[in-house]
Amino acid sequence: GKSTVSRELARLGAVVIDADRIAREVVEPGSPALSAIRGRFGADLIRADGSLDRAGLGRLVFGDPVALRDLEAITHPAIWARTAELFRSAPEDAVVVHDMPLLVEKQMAGEYHLVVVVGASEATRLDRLVRLRGMPETDARARIAAQADDVARRAAADVWLDNEGSATELADAVRGLWSDRLVPFEHNLRTGTRSRARLSTQSPPDPTWPDQAQRLIARLRHALGGLAPSVEHIGSTAVPGLAGKDVIDIQVGVQSLEVADSLDFVGGMTDAGFVRVPGNDHDNAKDGTRWPKRFHGSCDPGRVAHVHVREIGSAGWTWAIGFRDWLRADPSARDDYARVKADLAARHTE
């Protein structure tokens, strides 16, 4: 299914960088990587024409963590150098798709603006590997066992494309994703435009909000590194069972707002798809005290997110965490707060 999705995205105009294709390129006859593989795994893996027996190598490394690690140490430097070259050469306005087979297993989801997972049940995957690819069932089961399970795959997926049906149904889903999310997301990234909630109404509690927040947090941590010692899910969507606007609020804690205003911080946030919103530089306490902060919004039209940047230990930072934790710990307080929000929303509507 992953290859079907990639082909359709390429047809629509995306620049597809195929990790499997690059992995084949770097072990072509005469390459340094192929020589190293021969030295580590034996000459029996080299065919008469000088090419690599990839299926045989796969049988050796799948299920053997040491062998797999040794193989990756040989091939990964060359793969990533070629991958980086292809990313740099893509047009400025391109939707760049990295077709990656082990993104979830390698915990790399935070390195991308969006993760699309093509999902099918284990039984369906096994049938397709055996029937369509001619893979022995034992090898197919070993391949599946080495992959992340569906729980991990769904947790990493911003978009889950169901692949239990026909190729036509899958292609239809890809076209919808392209027009509704990928193209506008690319435009927002290139122009520095943040996405906004279409409705101000309260949404019922969504059990997927925490997973959505964790994906955003992974991107922020990857983008900011040590500039942001604290990154947490706050607001109504961080409280199980609480209704709220379908907006994920994230609090980034910094040592000082000077860090938040630095080129490294603002540039990292922008590159990751979280643009600075000028003028939104404080919150007001109940007594009118101004609590300084910085504010960024997500460029993803499919997931509106607000990022509040505050100094660690400041009044605003402490209140956001404390209020969230209070509502999590006290169901009666949570329910009282929900009634107040609903009343305010009704008055606003009127």
Side-chain angles (χ1 to χ4, degrees):
K2 185 166 60 66
S3 298
T4 300
V5 170
S6 290
R7 284 194 299 270
E8 183 63 19
L9 288 170
R11 189 191 69 78
L12 291 166
V15 173
V16 176
I17 298 174
D18 187 335
D20 284 337
R21 181 177 298 174
I22 295 172
R24 290 191 294 270
E25 288 178 3
V26 301
V27 294
E28 289 178 346
S31 66
L34 184 59
S35 297
I37 289 172
R38 177 174 181 155
R40 166 61 177 83
F41 296 100
D44 290 345
L45 291 175
I46 310 301
R47 297 192 179 100
D49 63 0
S51 65
L52 176 65
D53 177 3
R54 291 173 58 84
L57 180 61
R59 286 191 292 272
L60 282 178
V61 302
F62 277 105
D64 185 337
V66 174
L68 181 59
R69 185 168 59 248
D70 290 348
L71 175 63
E72 291 172 346
I74 293 170
T75 60
H76 278 192
I79 289 171
W80 286 112
R82 177 57 176 157
T83 300
E85 179 185 358
L86 292 172
F87 268 96
R88 288 193 299 269
S89 66
E92 182 181 358
D93 61 348
V95 173
V96 181
V97 176
H98 196 190
D99 186 340
M100 276 281 291
L102 295 174
L103 182 146
V104 178
E105 289 81 356
K106 298 300 183 183
Q107 298 182 342
M108 295 171 59
E111 301 179 25
Y112 298 88
H113 294 108
L114 196 75
V115 173
V116 178
V117 173
V118 186
S121 68
E122 182 174 325
T124 299
R125 282 179 278 158
L126 180 64
D127 173 69
R128 289 170 178 171
L129 286 172
V130 173
R131 181 170 53 85
L132 301 180
R133 296 193 186 182
M135 187 178 292
E137 183 173 338
T138 302
D139 292 353
R141 289 188 181 278
R143 180 71 58 93
I144 291 172
Q147 296 171 342
D149 60 25
D150 279 353
V151 173
R153 285 153 56 84
R154 285 189 180 275
D158 297 289
V159 177
W160 181 274
L161 292 177
D162 188 274
N163 190 28
E164 292 290 343
S166 67
T168 299
E169 291 171 326
L170 184 59
D172 288 342
V174 173
R175 285 190 290 272
L177 172 64
W178 175 263
S179 60
D180 296 342
R181 194 163 186 178
L182 300 186
V183 170
F185 197 171
E186 184 284 321
H187 174 270
N188 288 352
L189 284 167
R190 182 163 37 86
T191 61
T193 304
R194 73 179 176 108
S195 58
R196 296 174 180 268
R198 295 180 180 178
L199 298 173
S200 60
T201 56
Q202 302 291 304
S203 298
D206 184 341
T208 71
W209 278 337
D211 280 345
Q212 294 184 54
Q214 287 306 309
R215 291 193 288 271
L216 295 171
I217 288 170
R219 292 183 178 111
L220 290 165
R221 285 178 172 157
H222 177 76
L224 299 174
L227 296 175
S230 171
V231 186
E232 298 196 50
H233 184 196
I234 60 168
S236 296
T237 60
V239 180
L242 180 62
K245 294 179 183 178
D246 188 19
V247 176
I248 303 294
D249 286 284
I250 303 293
Q251 178 166 265
V252 171
V254 293
Q255 297 298 342
S256 74
L257 289 182
E258 290 181 358
V259 173
D261 292 334
S262 68
L263 292 177
D264 286 344
F265 187 98
V266 176
M269 291 286 283
T270 302
D271 290 345
F274 302 93
V275 296
R276 172 67 63 88
V277 179
N280 193 335
D281 59 2
H282 70 277
D283 295 307
N284 291 318
K286 288 184 178 180
D287 62 2
T289 303
R290 291 163 66 95
W291 290 343
K293 71 172 185 178
R294 301 294 182 263
F295 182 78
H296 293 250
S298 169
C299 296
D300 181 2
R303 169 33 60 212
V304 179
H306 295 165
V307 181
H308 311 264
V309 186
R310 300 181 174 108
E311 291 185 358
I312 295 173
S314 67
W317 181 88
T318 302
W319 186 90
I321 294 174
F323 188 65
R324 176 203 65 190
D325 291 348
W326 174 49
L327 295 181
R328 284 177 172 178
D330 189 337
S332 63
R334 179 200 65 195
D335 294 342
D336 288 344
Y337 182 56
R339 283 190 288 271
V340 170
K341 292 175 64 176
D343 182 60
L344 290 174
R347 292 182 185 180
H348 179 73
T349 301
E350 293 173 1

mmCIF file with all atom_site columns, all heavy atoms in Angstrom, residues 185-197:
data_model
loop_
_atom_site.group_PDB
_atom_site.id
_atom_site.type_symbol
_atom_site.label_atom_id
_atom_site.label_alt_id
_atom_site.label_comp_id
_atom_site.label_asym_id
_atom_site.label_entity_id
_atom_site.label_seq_id
_atom_site.pdbx_PDB_ins_code
_atom_site.Cartn_x
_atom_site.Cartn_y
_atom_site.Cartn_z
_atom_site.occupancy
_atom_site.B_iso_or_equiv
_atom_site.pdbx_formal_charge
_atom_site.auth_seq_id
_atom_site.auth_comp_id
_atom_site.auth_asym_id
_atom_site.auth_atom_id
_atom_site.pdbx_PDB_model_num
ATOM 1   N N   . PHE A 1 185 ? -1.008  22.859 3.384  1.00 0.00 ? 185 PHE A N   1
ATOM 2   C CA  . PHE A 1 185 ? 0.048   22.825 4.392  1.00 0.00 ? 185 PHE A CA  1
ATOM 3   C C   . PHE A 1 185 ? 1.347   23.372 3.789  1.00 0.00 ? 185 PHE A C   1
ATOM 4   O O   . PHE A 1 185 ? 2.038   24.206 4.401  1.00 0.00 ? 185 PHE A O   1
ATOM 5   C CB  . PHE A 1 185 ? 0.235   21.389 4.878  1.00 0.00 ? 185 PHE A CB  1
ATOM 6   C CG  . PHE A 1 185 ? 0.991   21.256 6.178  1.00 0.00 ? 185 PHE A CG  1
ATOM 7   C CD1 . PHE A 1 185 ? 1.070   20.023 6.809  1.00 0.00 ? 185 PHE A CD1 1
ATOM 8   C CD2 . PHE A 1 185 ? 1.633   22.336 6.779  1.00 0.00 ? 185 PHE A CD2 1
ATOM 9   C CE1 . PHE A 1 185 ? 1.756   19.869 8.010  1.00 0.00 ? 185 PHE A CE1 1
ATOM 10  C CE2 . PHE A 1 185 ? 2.325   22.192 7.978  1.00 0.00 ? 185 PHE A CE2 1
ATOM 11  C CZ  . PHE A 1 185 ? 2.390   20.957 8.579  1.00 0.00 ? 185 PHE A CZ  1
ATOM 12  N N   . GLU A 1 186 ? 1.685   22.912 2.596  1.00 0.00 ? 186 GLU A N   1
ATOM 13  C CA  . GLU A 1 186 ? 2.901   23.416 1.935  1.00 0.00 ? 186 GLU A CA  1
ATOM 14  C C   . GLU A 1 186 ? 2.832   24.917 1.740  1.00 0.00 ? 186 GLU A C   1
ATOM 15  O O   . GLU A 1 186 ? 3.815   25.641 1.980  1.00 0.00 ? 186 GLU A O   1
ATOM 16  C CB  . GLU A 1 186 ? 3.095   22.700 0.592  1.00 0.00 ? 186 GLU A CB  1
ATOM 17  C CG  . GLU A 1 186 ? 4.374   23.058 -0.147 1.00 0.00 ? 186 GLU A CG  1
ATOM 18  C CD  . GLU A 1 186 ? 4.338   24.416 -0.833 1.00 0.00 ? 186 GLU A CD  1
ATOM 19  O OE1 . GLU A 1 186 ? 3.276   24.774 -1.395 1.00 0.00 ? 186 GLU A OE1 1
ATOM 20  O OE2 . GLU A 1 186 ? 5.366   25.138 -0.797 1.00 0.00 ? 186 GLU A OE2 1
ATOM 21  N N   . HIS A 1 187 ? 1.668   25.417 1.304  1.00 0.00 ? 187 HIS A N   1
ATOM 22  C CA  . HIS A 1 187 ? 1.500   26.867 1.104  1.00 0.00 ? 187 HIS A CA  1
ATOM 23  C C   . HIS A 1 187 ? 1.707   27.605 2.417  1.00 0.00 ? 187 HIS A C   1
ATOM 24  O O   . HIS A 1 187 ? 2.387   28.643 2.473  1.00 0.00 ? 187 HIS A O   1
ATOM 25  C CB  . HIS A 1 187 ? 0.110   27.147 0.540  1.00 0.00 ? 187 HIS A CB  1
ATOM 26  C CG  . HIS A 1 187 ? -0.204  28.608 0.433  1.00 0.00 ? 187 HIS A CG  1
ATOM 27  N ND1 . HIS A 1 187 ? -0.800  29.330 1.464  1.00 0.00 ? 187 HIS A ND1 1
ATOM 28  C CD2 . HIS A 1 187 ? 0.016   29.511 -0.565 1.00 0.00 ? 187 HIS A CD2 1
ATOM 29  C CE1 . HIS A 1 187 ? -0.936  30.590 1.091  1.00 0.00 ? 187 HIS A CE1 1
ATOM 30  N NE2 . HIS A 1 187 ? -0.452  30.716 -0.134 1.00 0.00 ? 187 HIS A NE2 1
ATOM 31  N N   . ASN A 1 188 ? 1.121   27.096 3.496  1.00 0.00 ? 188 ASN A N   1
ATOM 32  C CA  . ASN A 1 188 ? 1.256   27.756 4.795  1.00 0.00 ? 188 ASN A CA  1
ATOM 33  C C   . ASN A 1 188 ? 2.706   27.769 5.274  1.00 0.00 ? 188 ASN A C   1
ATOM 34  O O   . ASN A 1 188 ? 3.187   28.771 5.818  1.00 0.00 ? 188 ASN A O   1
ATOM 35  C CB  . ASN A 1 188 ? 0.374   27.053 5.828  1.00 0.00 ? 188 ASN A CB  1
ATOM 36  C CG  . ASN A 1 188 ? -1.105  27.319 5.620  1.00 0.00 ? 188 ASN A CG  1
ATOM 37  O OD1 . ASN A 1 188 ? -1.490  28.149 4.794  1.00 0.00 ? 188 ASN A OD1 1
ATOM 38  N ND2 . ASN A 1 188 ? -1.942  26.602 6.350  1.00 0.00 ? 188 ASN A ND2 1
ATOM 39  N N   . LEU A 1 189 ? 3.404   26.665 5.069  1.00 0.00 ? 189 LEU A N   1
ATOM 40  C CA  . LEU A 1 189 ? 4.814   26.606 5.465  1.00 0.00 ? 189 LEU A CA  1
ATOM 41  C C   . LEU A 1 189 ? 5.649   27.611 4.688  1.00 0.00 ? 189 LEU A C   1
ATOM 42  O O   . LEU A 1 189 ? 6.491   28.317 5.255  1.00 0.00 ? 189 LEU A O   1
ATOM 43  C CB  . LEU A 1 189 ? 5.362   25.195 5.229  1.00 0.00 ? 189 LEU A CB  1
ATOM 44  C CG  . LEU A 1 189 ? 4.965   24.114 6.227  1.00 0.00 ? 189 LEU A CG  1
ATOM 45  C CD1 . LEU A 1 189 ? 5.318   22.738 5.691  1.00 0.00 ? 189 LEU A CD1 1
ATOM 46  C CD2 . LEU A 1 189 ? 5.667   24.345 7.560  1.00 0.00 ? 189 LEU A CD2 1
ATOM 47  N N   . ARG A 1 190 ? 5.413   27.668 3.398  1.00 0.00 ? 190 ARG A N   1
ATOM 48  C CA  . ARG A 1 190 ? 6.218   28.546 2.536  1.00 0.00 ? 190 ARG A CA  1
ATOM 49  C C   . ARG A 1 190 ? 5.924   30.014 2.795  1.00 0.00 ? 190 ARG A C   1
ATOM 50  O O   . ARG A 1 190 ? 6.809   30.861 2.683  1.00 0.00 ? 190 ARG A O   1
ATOM 51  C CB  . ARG A 1 190 ? 5.957   28.177 1.068  1.00 0.00 ? 190 ARG A CB  1
ATOM 52  C CG  . ARG A 1 190 ? 6.750   28.957 0.052  1.00 0.00 ? 190 ARG A CG  1
ATOM 53  C CD  . ARG A 1 190 ? 6.745   28.260 -1.308 1.00 0.00 ? 190 ARG A CD  1
ATOM 54  N NE  . ARG A 1 190 ? 5.483   27.626 -1.619 1.00 0.00 ? 190 ARG A NE  1
ATOM 55  C CZ  . ARG A 1 190 ? 4.445   28.247 -2.194 1.00 0.00 ? 190 ARG A CZ  1
ATOM 56  N NH1 . ARG A 1 190 ? 4.532   29.547 -2.496 1.00 0.00 ? 190 ARG A NH1 1
ATOM 57  N NH2 . ARG A 1 190 ? 3.334   27.601 -2.458 1.00 0.00 ? 190 ARG A NH2 1
ATOM 58  N N   . THR A 1 191 ? 4.699   30.334 3.155  1.00 0.00 ? 191 THR A N   1
ATOM 59  C CA  . THR A 1 191 ? 4.307   31.735 3.336  1.00 0.00 ? 191 THR A CA  1
ATOM 60  C C   . THR A 1 191 ? 4.270   32.158 4.798  1.00 0.00 ? 191 THR A C   1
ATOM 61  O O   . THR A 1 191 ? 3.992   33.327 5.092  1.00 0.00 ? 191 THR A O   1
ATOM 62  C CB  . THR A 1 191 ? 2.919   31.980 2.711  1.00 0.00 ? 191 THR A CB  1
ATOM 63  O OG1 . THR A 1 191 ? 1.937   31.142 3.361  1.00 0.00 ? 191 THR A OG1 1
ATOM 64  C CG2 . THR A 1 191 ? 2.937   31.685 1.218  1.00 0.00 ? 191 THR A CG2 1
ATOM 65  N N   . GLY A 1 192 ? 4.535   31.232 5.716  1.00 0.00 ? 192 GLY A N   1
ATOM 66  C CA  . GLY A 1 192 ? 4.501   31.578 7.131  1.00 0.00 ? 192 GLY A CA  1
ATOM 67  C C   . GLY A 1 192 ? 3.102   31.878 7.637  1.00 0.00 ? 192 GLY A C   1
ATOM 68  O O   . GLY A 1 192 ? 2.903   32.777 8.454  1.00 0.00 ? 192 GLY A O   1
ATOM 69  N N   . THR A 1 193 ? 2.129   31.090 7.175  1.00 0.00 ? 193 THR A N   1
ATOM 70  C CA  . THR A 1 193 ? 0.727   31.297 7.546  1.00 0.00 ? 193 THR A CA  1
ATOM 71  C C   . THR A 1 193 ? 0.295   30.235 8.548  1.00 0.00 ? 193 THR A C   1
ATOM 72  O O   . THR A 1 193 ? 0.491   29.047 8.325  1.00 0.00 ? 193 THR A O   1
ATOM 73  C CB  . THR A 1 193 ? -0.173  31.204 6.294  1.00 0.00 ? 193 THR A CB  1
ATOM 74  O OG1 . THR A 1 193 ? 0.277   32.148 5.325  1.00 0.00 ? 193 THR A OG1 1
ATOM 75  C CG2 . THR A 1 193 ? -1.623  31.474 6.656  1.00 0.00 ? 193 THR A CG2 1
ATOM 76  N N   . ARG A 1 194 ? -0.301  30.662 9.643  1.00 0.00 ? 194 ARG A N   1
ATOM 77  C CA  . ARG A 1 194 ? -0.764  29.675 10.618 1.00 0.00 ? 194 ARG A CA  1
ATOM 78  C C   . ARG A 1 194 ? -2.203  29.269 10.323 1.00 0.00 ? 194 ARG A C   1
ATOM 79  O O   . ARG A 1 194 ? -2.983  30.015 9.734  1.00 0.00 ? 194 ARG A O   1
ATOM 80  C CB  . ARG A 1 194 ? -0.663  30.219 12.042 1.00 0.00 ? 194 ARG A CB  1
ATOM 81  C CG  . ARG A 1 194 ? -1.684  31.274 12.438 1.00 0.00 ? 194 ARG A CG  1
ATOM 82  C CD  . ARG A 1 194 ? -1.450  31.665 13.888 1.00 0.00 ? 194 ARG A CD  1
ATOM 83  N NE  . ARG A 1 194 ? -2.317  32.730 14.343 1.00 0.00 ? 194 ARG A NE  1
ATOM 84  C CZ  . ARG A 1 194 ? -3.328  32.566 15.195 1.00 0.00 ? 194 ARG A CZ  1
ATOM 85  N NH1 . ARG A 1 194 ? -3.616  31.359 15.650 1.00 0.00 ? 194 ARG A NH1 1
ATOM 86  N NH2 . ARG A 1 194 ? -4.052  33.594 15.596 1.00 0.00 ? 194 ARG A NH2 1
ATOM 87  N N   . SER A 1 195 ? -2.540  28.066 10.731 1.00 0.00 ? 195 SER A N   1
ATOM 88  C CA  . SER A 1 195 ? -3.915  27.589 10.567 1.00 0.00 ? 195 SER A CA  1
ATOM 89  C C   . SER A 1 195 ? -4.753  28.089 11.730 1.00 0.00 ? 195 SER A C   1
ATOM 90  O O   . SER A 1 195 ? -4.247  28.356 12.814 1.00 0.00 ? 195 SER A O   1
ATOM 91  C CB  . SER A 1 195 ? -3.944  26.060 10.511 1.00 0.00 ? 195 SER A CB  1
ATOM 92  O OG  . SER A 1 195 ? -3.366  25.504 11.678 1.00 0.00 ? 195 SER A OG  1
ATOM 93  N N   . ARG A 1 196 ? -6.044  28.201 11.493 1.00 0.00 ? 196 ARG A N   1
ATOM 94  C CA  . ARG A 1 196 ? -6.966  28.709 12.507 1.00 0.00 ? 196 ARG A CA  1
ATOM 95  C C   . ARG A 1 196 ? -8.177  27.796 12.618 1.00 0.00 ? 196 ARG A C   1
ATOM 96  O O   . ARG A 1 196 ? -8.571  27.150 11.647 1.00 0.00 ? 196 ARG A O   1
ATOM 97  C CB  . ARG A 1 196 ? -7.444  30.131 12.165 1.00 0.00 ? 196 ARG A CB  1
ATOM 98  C CG  . ARG A 1 196 ? -6.328  31.173 12.157 1.00 0.00 ? 196 ARG A CG  1
ATOM 99  C CD  . ARG A 1 196 ? -6.860  32.513 11.678 1.00 0.00 ? 196 ARG A CD  1
ATOM 100 N NE  . ARG A 1 196 ? -5.834  33.542 11.655 1.00 0.00 ? 196 ARG A NE  1
ATOM 101 C CZ  . ARG A 1 196 ? -5.580  34.362 12.675 1.00 0.00 ? 196 ARG A CZ  1
ATOM 102 N NH1 . ARG A 1 196 ? -6.292  34.273 13.785 1.00 0.00 ? 196 ARG A NH1 1
ATOM 103 N NH2 . ARG A 1 196 ? -4.635  35.281 12.576 1.00 0.00 ? 196 ARG A NH2 1
ATOM 104 N N   . ALA A 1 197 ? -8.751  27.759 13.809 1.00 0.00 ? 197 ALA A N   1
ATOM 105 C CA  . ALA A 1 197 ? -9.953  26.966 14.019 1.00 0.00 ? 197 ALA A CA  1
ATOM 106 C C   . ALA A 1 197 ? -11.114 27.595 13.265 1.00 0.00 ? 197 ALA A C   1
ATOM 107 O O   . ALA A 1 197 ? -11.302 28.815 13.302 1.00 0.00 ? 197 ALA A O   1
ATOM 108 C CB  . ALA A 1 197 ? -10.279 26.876 15.507 1.00 0.00 ? 197 ALA A CB  1
#
